[in-house]
Amino acid sequence: MQLSKYFFWNFNVNSITYQKHARLVIESVVASANLKDWHKLKVFYGLNLMKKEALQMRGLERKTLNFLSLIFKVPILNFRAYKKMPAVNTHCNY
């Protein structure tokens, strides 16, 4: 599978195994919102594995969670990243 190289700027690309590092690869592509690479992942991993990994990811943005919730037909409350989000964005009073 040939993905955009900028996903792995902080890794040695030759050391990444797509099967062993599935969550890292899926999270990198999902977080970047690159639709072309998303389709490549879908063909390579399948939606079931992508859903399983996405449900366990911690650092996803709200818009990414909404997208994944719609695509996978899973309530957003089931995502680990949603459970880890702060309830309200607060500002510090100085």
Side-chain angles (χ1 to χ4, degrees):
M1 175 172 52
Q2 199 68 315
L3 296 173
S4 303
K5 298 289 183 201
Y6 63 86
F7 293 125
F8 310 109
W9 63 270
N10 55 346
F11 296 98
N12 179 356
V13 178
N14 299 326
S15 69
I16 294 178
T17 328
Y18 288 115
Q19 292 299 337
K20 184 178 178 184
H21 301 104
R23 185 174 299 168
L24 169 73
V25 173
I26 293 168
E27 188 168 7
S28 297
V29 172
V30 166
S32 76
N34 185 319
L35 202 53
K36 181 180 170 186
D37 287 320
W38 166 267
H39 290 299
K40 290 178 185 178
L41 285 186
K42 203 165 62 168
V43 170
F44 187 80
Y45 290 119
L47 284 177
N48 286 334
L49 178 63
M50 290 176 67
K51 177 170 79 172
K52 177 184 166 212
E53 295 297 340
L55 287 168
Q56 296 305 314
M57 293 174 191
R58 295 176 191 225
L60 298 174
E61 293 181 14
R62 192 172 298 270
K63 66 181 177 181
T64 304
L65 286 171
N66 283 315
F67 172 76
L68 295 174
S69 178
L70 288 170
I71 294 295
F72 297 138
K73 298 179 175 97
V74 174
I76 198 168
L77 297 172
N78 292 6
F79 288 85
R80 182 181 220 170
Y82 184 80
K83 296 172 188 172
K84 299 289 181 188
M85 288 185 144
V88 177
N89 292 335
T90 59
H91 298 283
C92 297
N93 293 328
Y94 293 104

